[in-house]
Structure formats: C-alpha cells, structure tokens
C-alpha cells in the first residue's frame, strides 16, 4: 500500500521470486539424519519422525556439552560415597598425596587434598571452619563458583568460619561468619593447606545448630583407594544429570540449559523415563558429545587455546574468566574443555598472580604433531630457570579417563623430586616411555604400551618470565635424543 505523497518502488517479480527461495525449504533435503521430504514446505508424514529424531540427537549433544560440569560433580559425589565419604562431617583426604589408583580428573601428585560435599537440604545452614594458610573453594552442584576460603578468601589466610545457607533461606543470619547463600543444596568443598595433612585435619564442618557443641569430624584417607569419580560418556550421563535436576530447585539452572534438558524429558519434579527410541538417541548423543569434547580438549581449534604461537602447548583455562565469559558471550568450548579435563572452579585459577597461585599448560602430541604413544620413548627439556617461585611438576594422565596414568603410583616428576638430575646449563631433561633410558631413572615417567598419554606442566607461584612470555617450553621429542 502506497502512502499518500510518497513513492514506493517495491520489488520486481523476479526479485520477489528470488527472495522466496531464501525463505523456502526444498521438497527434498539431504541431512546427516537422512533424506527428508516436504510438500511445499510441509514435512511429509514419513519424514516427521526422522526430523524429531534428529532434533532430539542435536539437543542431546548440546545438553552433554553444556552440562558436563554438573554430571562431573554427581559422579564425584557417587565415587566418594563408595569409600565412605557420604556425609558433610566426613572429609576425604590424600595422605601423603593422591596416587594413580583412584579415577579422578587430573589431580596432581604434589599437594594434599581434602574433599567432601555439603548437604544443605539435610543439614540446613552449615558452618565450615578452615585452617590458617589454606586454599579452599566451595562450588555449587552445577560446578559454579560460590566462594574461596583461606588465602584467596575474605579471611586472607588467617582462618575463619564460613556459613553456607540453602537456596531460598529466610532464617537467622548470625554475626561472626562469612555468610553465603548457595543456589543449590549440594555443594562441593575442596580443602588444600600449606601445612599438609595435619592442617587439613584442623578443618571443621558442622550444622549451625550444633555451633555450641559441634561433634568431631571423621577423616577418610582416599589416596590409594580404588573408586571412580568421572562422569559417564554414554546414556547413563543423562541419568546423572536427571538425578541432579531432581534434587535441586528448578531455579538452580539457567532457563536455556534447563529448557534443553526439558525437551529430553529431564525436568524437576518429573521422573526421567525415556522410551527405547529416546534412550538409544541419548546414548548416541553422549558418545558423540564425548567425542566432540575430546577434540575440544586434545585438538582445540581456538587460537587462544595455545600458549605460544606455533606451539602445541595449550592453556587449560582459556580466556581468563572463571565464568568463561568474553564480551558478554559464554565461551562454550572453553567451558567444555576445562570441565571435561578438570575440577574446581575459582577466580584464583583463572587469574594467577606473580609469585602466587599456579599456572598450567598441557599437550597431547609430540614435536611432529603425532599423538603420544605409550610404547615409544620421548624426551622433554625443561629450560633453565623455570619460572616457579615454589616448584614445578609434570604429571602424566590417561587420555581416556583424564586421570593419572596407572603406570606408577606417582606418574610424575617435580623439581622437588628426590634425585632429579639437572643438565650443565641448568635445564632438566625428562623422559617418558615404557622403560627408562640408562642412567635416567630419576628423570623418567613410565608409560604404558597400547595407551596414549598426555602431560600437564604446573608452575606453583609463577614468576615474571611466565607472564612476560620470555620463558617457553619446547615440544616433546620422540626418540632417544633430547
């Protein structure tokens, strides 16, 4: 319709026809889900089910990639319960440090951990007392940051009392505590203390109602116990997520991810009972999603993943945001990469400072770009003056489980390792392979024929050359030469 006093040219018939082609679907569409047929844009009856099967697969893959953090903590809690860490007053710890026996996502073999889960639904308001000079973190059940405690927390390493309140809490908030309300009832607590096991055993967890006469905590040494804390990569992944959604308030997860899960039958307050069709699709979705996660972890396409230009060494924390945000957008691959490989979220990990915290890099290939083979021998030179105020370490992990490679109790070498040999120029040559080269046993980490492996370099208290990029780690070299 022309407006009086104006001229409207409009489109020619040919231009309009061209526009229609851009908004139309052809009568036959070839897709990864098969050939789909339409009549003038309307799906034919024989194609409708294939379309919805494809949609469920896409949403299942999306759900896997976006909810790995939650499934990881469901599996962590389940694994800890197997070894008796089944209530908040029981704290698992690694004495003297974690070995390769348990299945954990990339633990290190150099520090002592204490871990447990808070249950704010069963316990209500819960107090955690942390020891002095500790590094403690609480994350919610979707693996989102709640708070640091200790050196990086408000007590600044002096030790203090922290009060955790369940979602929607409207009761008393007494003075004398650092108080936090979590969006989830279940919360993951990690304790590290510079004083090791004796310091960790100074930690206290009790109900607020017991503050006047808190009972003793139990401590369970899990360092050499056999159990699994890693989430599933098949249909049971969705059962892990369904358990989480059922336990937590409907408000605990953002609407977008909650909506994706709801289309798959995972809703708060509704049993998850997929039929045989959906169950098969979700099994495929988890396996495909796991394959995509492995590509994101081991062979990322984001240039920001790489520590140095032209190097295979990669950053575990991409982007410098513990929420994986960049200009208001979530870096989905960065979130998947981190949570598929690791545990514990805190701003202190994303923003290491000179002389404090730790820095991490990893690779899964050698200098020629080939995957690391447990049947072969490799060397890695740690250049002189590694930029670590405290110490550095290299731990080796299983590419399947992302846990410590079960080739030795401690598949690692550190600057504190007894007998570690330095070269004349102050560098260190580390060796990897099924057998140690003659005379190199103290600098050797065993690998397993028939399995791949991947190393992580950790710098504890990274120094200026790390941040200024003036110190660079060379590639891993295959063969007996260094």
């Amino acid at each position: 319709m022309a407006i009086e006093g104006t001229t409207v040219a409009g489109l020619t018939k040919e231009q309009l026809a061209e526009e229609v082609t851009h908004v139309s679907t052809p009568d036959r569409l070839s897709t990864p889900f098969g050939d789909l047929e339409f009549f003038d844009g309307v799906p034919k009856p024989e194609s409708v089910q294939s379309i919805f099967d494809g949609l469920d697969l896409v949403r299942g893959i999306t759900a896997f990639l976006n909810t790995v953090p939650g499934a990881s903590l469901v599996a962590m809690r389940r694994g800890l319960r197997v070894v008796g860490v089944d209530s908040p007053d029981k704290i698992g710890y690694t004495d003297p440090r974690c070995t390769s026996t348990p299945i954990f996502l990339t633990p290190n073999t150099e520090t002592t951990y204490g871990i447990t889960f808070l249950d704010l639904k069963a316990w209500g308001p819960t107090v955690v007392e942390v020891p002095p000079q500790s590094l403690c973190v609480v994350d919610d059940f979707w693996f989102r940051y709640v708070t640091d405690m200790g050196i990086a927390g408000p007590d600044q390493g002096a030790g203090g009392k922290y009060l955790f309140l369940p979602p929607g809490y409207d009761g008393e908030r007494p003075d004398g505590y650092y108080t936090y309300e979590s969006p989830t009832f279940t919360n993951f607590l990690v304790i590290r203390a510079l004083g090791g096991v004796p310091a960790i055993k100074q930690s206290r967890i009790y109900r607020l109602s017991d503050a006047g006469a808190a009972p003793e905590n139990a401590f369970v040494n899990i360092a050499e116990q056999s159990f699994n804390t890693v989430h599933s990569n098949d249909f049971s992944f969705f059962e892990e997520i369904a358990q989480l959604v059922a336990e937590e308030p409907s408000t605990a997860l953002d609407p977008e991810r909650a909506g994706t899960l709801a289309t798959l039958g995972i809703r708060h307050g509704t049993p998850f009972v997929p039929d045989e069709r959906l169950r098969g699709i979700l099994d495929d979705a988890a396996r495909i999603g796991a394959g995509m996660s492995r590509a994101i972890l081991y062979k990322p396409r984001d240039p920001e993943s790489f520590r140095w230009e032209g190097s295979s060494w990669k950053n575990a924390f991409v982007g410098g945001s513990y929420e994986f945000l960049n200009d208001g957008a979530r870096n989905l691959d960065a979130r998947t990469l981190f949570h598929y490989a690791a545990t514990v979220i805190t701003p202190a990990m994303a923003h290491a400072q000179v002389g404090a915290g730790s820095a991490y890099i990893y690779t899964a290939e050698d200098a020629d770009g080939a995957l690391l083979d447990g049947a072969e021998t490799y060397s890695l030179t740690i250049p002189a003056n590694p930029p670590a105020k405290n110490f550095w370490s290299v731990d080796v992990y299983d590419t399947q489980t992302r846990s410590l490679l079960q080739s030795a109790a401690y598949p690692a070498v550190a600057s504190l390792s007894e007998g570690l040999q330095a070269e004349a120029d102050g560098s260190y040559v580390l060796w990897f392979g099924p057998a140690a080269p003659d005379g190199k046993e103290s600098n050797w980490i065993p690998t397993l024929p028939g399995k791949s492996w991947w190393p992580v370099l950790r710098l504890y208290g990274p120094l200026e050359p790390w941040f200024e990029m003036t110190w660079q780690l060379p590639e891993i070299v295959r063969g007996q030469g260094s």
Side-chain angles (χ1 to χ4, degrees):
M1 180 179 68
I3 301 174
E4 186 176 354
T6 65
T7 299
V8 179
L11 300 174
T12 66
K13 288 183 178 181
E14 291 77 12
Q15 290 172 324
L16 186 59
E18 178 67 20
E19 290 293 319
V20 170
T21 64
H22 293 307
V23 300
S24 299
T25 295
D27 288 345
R28 188 177 185 85
L29 189 63
S30 294
T31 77
F33 318 116
D35 291 338
L36 308 178
E37 296 188 354
F38 301 81
F39 173 67
D40 202 24
V42 180
K44 290 186 176 181
E46 58 269 27
S47 290
V48 169
Q49 189 59 56
S50 296
I51 291 171
F52 283 123
D53 287 349
L55 180 59
D56 287 341
L57 179 62
V58 168
R59 285 182 172 159
I61 295 170
T62 300
F64 182 95
L65 295 172
N66 289 343
T67 63
V68 160
S72 186
L73 281 188
V74 172
M76 176 73 76
R77 185 182 65 176
R78 182 180 63 233
L80 290 176
R81 285 175 171 176
V82 167
V83 291
V85 183
D86 53 9
S87 66
D89 58 346
K90 297 178 181 178
I91 301 172
Y93 70 102
T94 55
D95 185 8
R97 56 198 190 279
C98 191
T99 71
S100 61
T101 301
I103 304 300
F104 271 105
L105 289 178
T106 56
N108 71 63
T109 61
E110 292 74 49
T111 58
T112 299
Y113 294 98
I115 52 177
T116 193
F117 281 86
L118 307 183
D119 186 347
L120 303 179
K121 180 180 287 185
W123 275 34
T126 298
V127 178
V128 177
E129 294 185 19
V130 299
Q133 294 301 298
S134 61
L135 292 163
C136 310
V137 182
V138 172
D139 292 323
D140 78 3
F141 209 21
W142 281 108
F143 234 137
R144 296 169 301 203
Y145 173 72
V146 176
T147 187
D148 283 291
M149 302 181 291
I151 293 171
D155 68 275
Q156 299 181 328
K161 297 180 179 181
Y162 289 76
L163 175 61
F164 295 93
L165 306 175
Y169 180 78
D170 60 0
E172 180 186 7
R173 297 172 184 252
D175 295 331
Y177 301 92
Y178 302 107
T179 301
Y180 297 86
E181 181 177 332
S182 172
T184 60
F185 291 110
T186 296
N187 290 262
F188 181 46
L189 169 61
V190 177
I191 304 168
R192 290 187 297 170
L194 300 184
V197 172
I200 285 177
K201 288 188 174 182
Q202 294 176 27
S203 306
R204 302 290 304 282
I205 303 173
Y206 51 87
R207 295 174 174 86
L208 177 63
S209 58
D210 290 335
E216 293 294 320
N217 290 132
F219 292 86
V220 181
N221 188 4
I222 61 175
E224 298 185 31
Q225 297 206 52
S226 181
F227 60 104
N228 172 38
T229 69
V230 178
H231 64 80
S232 299
N233 280 195
D234 56 16
F235 168 76
S236 51
F237 174 93
F238 293 97
E239 294 179 312
E240 292 167 344
I241 291 298
Q243 180 181 356
L244 197 169
V245 170
E247 291 184 16
E248 298 297 344
S250 59
T251 56
L253 187 60
D254 59 274
E256 202 69 26
R257 284 192 287 180
T260 300
L261 293 172
T263 66
L264 304 173
I266 300 176
R267 302 179 182 88
H268 181 77
T270 303
F272 176 51
V273 285
D275 59 20
E276 186 175 351
R277 178 199 71 87
L278 183 57
R279 188 183 184 95
I281 288 172
L282 293 182
D283 187 63
D284 288 342
R287 295 178 189 278
I288 294 169
M292 293 174 174
S293 300
R294 292 176 185 278
I296 291 169
L297 171 61
Y298 298 126
K299 298 289 288 187
R301 60 183 178 180
D302 182 355
E304 197 174 352
S305 292
F306 297 90
R307 173 66 183 174
W308 301 283
E309 185 176 354
S311 171
S312 76
W313 289 97
K314 305 163 188 72
N315 300 305
F317 232 120
V318 177
S321 166
Y322 72 94
E323 296 178 299
F324 309 102
L325 292 174
N326 183 15
D327 292 331
R330 189 88 60 196
N331 188 330
L332 300 178
D333 284 0
R335 182 174 66 187
T336 296
L337 185 159
F338 180 82
H339 283 290
Y340 199 72
T343 59
V344 186
I345 280 291
T346 165
M349 294 178 67
H351 295 288
Q353 299 178 355
V354 175
S358 51
Y360 314 79
I361 54 173
Y362 70 96
T363 190
E365 56 198 278
D366 66 15
D368 298 319
L371 302 181
L372 299 171
D373 184 343
E376 300 293 334
T377 297
Y378 301 84
S379 63
L380 170 65
T381 298
I382 308 293
N385 302 313
K389 177 182 178 181
N390 301 317
F391 64 96
W392 58 264
S393 69
V394 173
D395 292 81
V396 168
Y397 298 96
D398 184 315
T399 50
Q400 283 283 18
T401 65
R402 291 91 68 208
S403 303
L404 287 165
L405 188 68
Q406 294 184 319
S407 61
Y410 302 109
V413 168
S415 56
L416 301 179
S417 296
E418 184 176 353
L420 182 67
Q421 298 176 11
E423 300 297 304
D425 64 356
S427 65
Y428 299 87
V429 178
L430 309 187
W431 295 90
F432 311 85
D438 291 343
K440 305 296 184 183
E441 289 80 4
S442 62
N443 290 37
W444 166 66
I445 302 174
T447 59
L448 297 172
K451 288 200 64 63
S452 189
W453 56 278
W454 59 295
V456 174
L457 169 73
R458 290 177 171 88
L459 302 174
Y460 293 90
L463 299 174
E464 286 87 349
W466 176 257
F467 296 96
E468 295 168 357
M469 307 285 279
T470 56
W471 185 90
Q472 180 170 340
L473 193 64
E475 298 297 300
I476 294 174
V477 177
R478 179 177 175 176
Q480 294 290 323
S482 61

